Amino acid sequence: MAINTPKQTSHLKREILVRLIKAYLSENFGENTRKIPYDMRPKGSEVPFRCCIHKERAILRDRAIAGLGLSIEEADDSELLSTLAEKAENRTEPEKNPLTVLQTACQGCVPSRIFVTDLCQGCVARPCESTCRFGAIKVENGKSVIDPSKCKNCGMCAQVCPYQAIARIIVPCENACPVGAITKDEDGLARIDFEKCISCGKCVNACPFGAVHEKSQIIDILKEIKNGKKLVAMVAPAIFGQLPCSPKQLKQAILSLGFSDVVEVAEGADITTKNEAAEFVERMEAGQEFMTTSCCAGYNELVEKHIPEIKPFRSETKTPAYYTSEMIKKEQPEALTVFFSPCVAKRREALQNPNIDYVLNYEELGAWFIALNVQVDACGESEFRKESSAQARNFAVIGGVAAAVNSLLDDDKKAKAYVVDGLNKQSIRDLKKFAKDGKCDLGNLIEVMACPGGCLGGSSTVNAYKPALKQLTAYVNESPEIKEVVKK
């Protein structure tokens, strides 16, 4: 059995989305959706990943269910895809939780544990035994033995073994989750606890079988366009590093999909910067030791669910998406807003903000372009309605938010910035310590980004980080300074 690479699972997601979009735009949405698994794996075709064609079709069916924006856990196995397509078309709002697990695709990995391999030499030094603080390892009959009832899976024994004879087995999705929100159910398959989940999307990228899947809202958006609704696309800065075209070409390409306008979320980022700079000065003058940023949806979910004690230190300034959607709704009350997102967490933010109607990630956008045969690099150019600042457009890059805030502060009030470059178990422990101590010796403005590298490294991006950064940086460098923008 072949194991999917992230590239292969991305290709499968994209092909499913392309077929769903074409099916919706066809004369028979339900029937063409039903046939997707059979069209992708026709009788007699090669079975590239699984044991048989029936298993492959079952997994493709589940991927299509997620593409329809439905929960696989709640879908009846006996329901036809055509029936589920009808349900997706008839719903009035997206489902609550943004992720679902394809149990047909889940490998049911063996439990995470530390074990001793045959490479063990039973050496005299016995560093594994002396290093273990829990008394979980000892030498018996010339070989190290681990007592699983005492082992805490810390991995210290593996680190000190001179023969590298101790191995650590991990479950990729569980290991990637920084808050312990994904575990095994009674059947040994992955299950997400949405009371704990912060929608960071790390499990989506970690699973080599592509078993954790975002629930798409593409059908909802296509339906609104079909019904003649006015849709405004809100594009976060990270999008300008994703596709081989200029920002103005990208705007024109998005307009060709049926949107009435495309607005840069950097407009809202300029407001976020201005408000956050003022708030930082106010808090420091009041004697507060530090303030964290508040623009990352994944971090905001972390605070609400796992670190409520840091709330007094988190900025009360809203996110760029919040301010952008608020502006659009005031100017065009009849319009529906669609946030183009690099990550899962923005789906959660949108569910909590009535001004954001839908979320479309970059994978879905790419599939939409393919389905309609839109060549982005061949599109004409369309001007954005307003010039946003270099600092606002650089929000997508780690350190960009703190740098933007500092750019508006006088020299004697500038922040000492400390950046949390991706949420993981260690960075969460650090944040909890800062909250407990009421101070952070590393800085007084803590920028927190759930994704390493910032939004440009989000779980739903489609371009590699370095070329994406190069492309976005070129756009940033041709943009005006924030002091010029906020004065207008």
Side-chain angles (χ1 to χ4, degrees), residues 178 307 424-435:
I307 322 179
N424 52 48
K425 293 179 177 67
Q426 182 57 54
S427 62
I428 291 173
R429 284 194 291 268
D430 291 341
L431 288 167
K432 287 183 175 180
K433 184 178 186 301
F434 301 154

Side-chain angles (χ1 to χ4, degrees), residues 198-242:
I198 62 173
S199 302
C200 64
K202 293 182 184 296
C203 56
V204 177
N205 282 348
C207 179
F209 290 89
V212 188
H213 212 296
E214 283 188 62
K215 290 189 284 189
S216 177
Q217 296 173 16
I218 187 68
I219 300 302
D220 308 81
I221 297 167
L222 289 169
K223 180 178 69 175
E224 300 291 9
I225 292 175
K226 181 180 179 181
N227 291 337
K229 295 292 182 66
K230 184 178 183 180
L231 270 65
V232 177
M234 303 187 299
V235 293
I239 199 170
F240 299 120
Q242 302 305 310

Side-chain angles (χ1 to χ4, degrees), residues 397-409:
V397 178
I398 193 70
V401 179
V405 170
N406 261 337
S407 69
L408 288 181
L409 299 179

Side-chain angles (χ1 to χ4, degrees), residues 288-307:
Q288 188 166 308
E289 292 288 335
F290 71 93
M291 182 184 85
T292 80
T293 56
S294 56
C295 62
C296 174
Y299 171 58
N300 289 333
E301 283 288 296
L302 174 74
V303 173
E304 296 299 322
K305 294 180 177 179
H306 299 279
I307 322 179

Side-chain angles (χ1 to χ4, degrees), residues 183-203:
T183 54
K184 294 181 180 297
D185 63 15
E186 59 275 10
D187 298 318
L189 302 175
R191 178 184 62 84
I192 299 173
D193 182 347
F194 290 105
E195 295 300 314
K196 294 180 180 179
C197 178
I198 62 173
S199 302
C200 64
K202 293 182 184 296
C203 56

Side-chain angles (χ1 to χ4, degrees), residues 65-194:
I65 292 172
L68 289 168
L70 299 171
S71 173
I72 293 162
E73 293 89 343
E74 296 176 8
D76 190 328
D77 289 344
S78 65
E79 284 187 291
L80 295 175
L81 270 179
S82 54
T83 303
L84 294 171
E86 183 179 351
K87 284 185 178 180
E89 188 174 21
N90 291 335
R91 66 170 167 251
T92 56
E93 59 183 13
E95 290 192 356
K96 181 180 178 181
N97 296 312
L99 293 174
T100 187
V101 177
L102 285 68
Q103 295 192 330
T104 53
C106 180
Q107 181 70 357
C109 305
V110 297
S112 177
R113 62 189 176 93
I114 306 290
F115 78 105
V116 181
T117 71
D118 292 339
L119 295 174
C120 178
Q121 303 297 307
C123 59
V124 175
R126 299 180 180 178
C128 57
E129 187 175 12
S130 60
T131 299
C132 182
R133 296 177 294 162
F134 311 105
I137 189 166
K138 59 183 178 179
V139 176
E140 295 180 355
N141 300 320
K143 298 286 183 181
S144 293
V145 177
I146 295 174
D147 182 347
S149 66
K150 296 180 180 179
C151 179
K152 304 298 181 183
N153 283 340
C154 69
M156 290 300 297
C157 55
Q159 292 180 31
V160 299
C161 177
Y163 292 101
Q164 299 182 9
I166 303 176
R168 183 174 190 172
I169 297 177
I170 65 168
V171 179
C173 61
E174 291 181 18
N175 187 63
C177 181
V179 293
I182 188 163
T183 54
K184 294 181 180 297
D185 63 15
E186 59 275 10
D187 298 318
L189 302 175
R191 178 184 62 84
I192 299 173
D193 182 347
F194 290 105

